[in-house]
Amino acid sequence: MLKRLSIAVAGGLLLVSAVAGCGGDSDAGSGSGSSGGDDKITLGFSQVGAESGWRTANTKSIQDSAASSGIDLKFSDAQGKQENQIKAIRNFITQRVDVIAFSPVVESGWGTVLKEAKDANIPVILTDRAIDDPDTTLYKSFIGSDFVEEGKKAGEWLVKEYEGKTDTVNIVELQGSPGAAPANDRKSGFADVIKSEPKFKVVASQTGQFTRTDGKAVMETFLKSQPDIDVLYAHNDDMGLGAIEAIEAAGKKPGTDIKIITVDAVKDGMTALADGKINFIVECSPLLGPQLMDLVKKAKAGETIPQRVLTEETTFTPEQAKEALPSRKY
Ligand code: AHR
């Protein structure tokens, strides 16, 4: 919360449409580690990992956009570990890259390494996920979604779906990776909305690490320990898709016996939504590459850039998923 307030107060806020984000994506190669001429901007980027369909689309967007913008991208995969990201950022500082960008695995613990980047005069841009540090001078900009808002949208759909009903609604929740901004914020946004109605009860809530495998395994344990599950809220599509496999294996019908809400709206999730196996998806756009490259060029040129660039996103019902799927880019 602190980080959001300080971001809003400290800098201008720019709203960028998710659809506009697709425009600059090219079919060019990975863009990773290409050697550039002297005047080429060098961007060091540390990615979270490859845990989900969302992440794969995000990596592609960044690599393609760097290639089409003529930016020399030094790409590093942290494999879900903060220590790997800190190592990568220190390497980027040693290599004297022009700009550093990263999507933080977790929210806390970035002060020391970002101070090192600041002392080396290398601008830092946060992408996708925020950090929980009150010192907003540690980075130039943060581009990404409002995860609290995403959780709220999930809760609002649920409230509407059960409007006028008085029976208890038993909810199980598959959380994202512990400590990650989208896990913390999607949980709190959802909880804030449903707390106004005591009929909603979160009977089990556990991490599924944002992966299909863990989503399936944790849903299996939920199904064994909870005799009467009405709703599954999964913090991303992949965990929801894994859970669908567990629900079907238990002889239940996903979307009917257990209502399912997820976040992301990647193609596989949207297909399950169109098929009636998921009931509602809150969109989170991974297509951050074009705006990131624009910010990188401006940061390198010493121009003032907005401290918060917010991606504009929507929600999908099964009918809307059927309409959107043919032109879905990820
Ligand atoms: O930070 C964005 C989240 O990370 C996506 O919603 C999830 O799928 C990913 O792993």
Side-chain angles (χ1 to χ4, degrees):
M1 190 57 182
L2 172 63
K3 72 190 176 226
R4 279 172 216 300
L5 283 176
S6 45
I7 285 164
V9 174
L13 187 136
L14 187 72
L15 195 68
V16 179
S17 142
V19 177
C22 315
D25 252 355
S26 82
D27 292 332
S30 77
S32 181
S34 63
S35 60
D38 283 347
D39 54 353
K40 237 183 170 185
I41 298 174
T42 307
L43 167 67
F45 183 83
S46 171
Q47 180 61 288
V48 169
E51 73 282 6
S52 63
W54 189 100
R55 191 63 55 197
T56 305
N58 179 247
T59 293
K60 183 173 178 347
S61 172
I62 286 162
Q63 291 178 330
D64 288 356
S65 306
S68 62
S69 306
I71 288 176
D72 180 13
L73 177 68
K74 303 210 174 298
F75 184 89
S76 170
D77 179 337
Q79 300 182 342
K81 293 197 175 112
Q82 182 176 35
E83 67 252 37
N84 291 345
Q85 281 199 308
I86 292 176
K87 238 184 252 166
I89 293 170
R90 291 209 165 109
N91 276 338
F92 294 148
I93 296 172
T94 308
Q95 290 171 51
R96 300 276 337 143
V97 300
D98 295 308
V99 180
I100 293 171
F102 75 112
S103 177
V105 171
V106 291
E107 284 192 281
S108 57
W110 298 103
T112 306
V113 73
L114 293 190
K115 176 86 174 34
E116 289 167 26
K118 192 179 170 188
D119 291 345
N121 273 323
I122 300 177
V124 170
I125 299 172
L126 305 179
T127 75
D128 160 37
R129 299 176 176 184
I131 58 168
D132 198 358
D133 194 304
D135 184 359
T136 57
T137 68
L138 293 175
Y139 54 92
K140 293 279 175 218
S141 187
F142 163 40
I143 173 171
S145 312
D146 182 336
F147 297 133
V148 175
E149 196 50 38
E150 290 173 352
K152 283 187 177 163
K153 286 179 189 167
E156 282 156 8
W157 179 83
L158 193 65
V159 167
K160 229 172 166 190
E161 183 70 8
Y162 285 90
E163 205 169 14
K165 301 199 172 126
T166 51
D167 287 354
T168 300
V169 180
N170 291 324
I171 303 162
V172 294
E173 180 180 34
L174 283 168
Q175 299 177 34
S177 29
N184 295 341
D185 294 353
R186 287 174 188 163
K187 182 172 175 46
S188 68
F190 181 76
D192 267 5
V193 171
I194 63 164
K195 75 176 178 210
S196 55
E197 299 202 34
K199 73 183 177 204
F200 293 116
K201 295 217 182 319
V202 178
V203 292
S205 179
Q206 208 177 302
T207 182
Q209 301 287 359
F210 279 133
T211 68
R212 233 176 250 217
T213 316
D214 285 30
K216 182 178 177 188
V218 176
M219 191 68 204
E220 279 165 0
T221 65
F222 284 167
L223 286 161
K224 280 181 195 142
S225 61
Q226 301 297 329
D228 184 21
I229 301 171
D230 299 302
V231 174
L232 162 68
Y233 169 42
H235 290 188
N236 80 345
D237 287 347
D238 280 82
M239 292 189 294
L241 290 163
I244 286 173
E245 290 177 33
I247 293 167
E248 286 175 337
K252 291 183 191 272
K253 217 175 159 200
T256 307
D257 296 331
I258 297 177
K259 293 193 175 160
I260 302 179
I261 312 165
T262 65
V263 185
D264 276 355
V266 296
K267 260 189 194 155
D268 285 356
M270 292 285 273
T271 305
L273 179 63
D275 291 346
K277 294 185 177 189
I278 294 178
N279 304 79
F280 188 67
I281 299 186
V282 179
E283 185 183 41
C284 178
S285 175
L287 304 179
L288 305 178
Q291 291 96 30
L292 173 61
M293 298 313 145
D294 192 41
L295 292 173
V296 166
K297 285 181 195 161
K298 288 184 173 150
K300 164 71 178 150
E303 290 174 33
T304 308
I305 56 176
Q307 215 185 12
R308 179 71 167 107
V309 180
L310 188 60
T311 16
E312 193 182 74
E313 287 141 350
T314 185
T315 58
F316 294 96
T317 60
E319 295 68 36
Q320 291 165 328
K322 279 179 204 154
E323 266 175 50
L325 261 171
S327 58
R328 200 77 185 149
K329 286 205 159 41
Y330 55 91

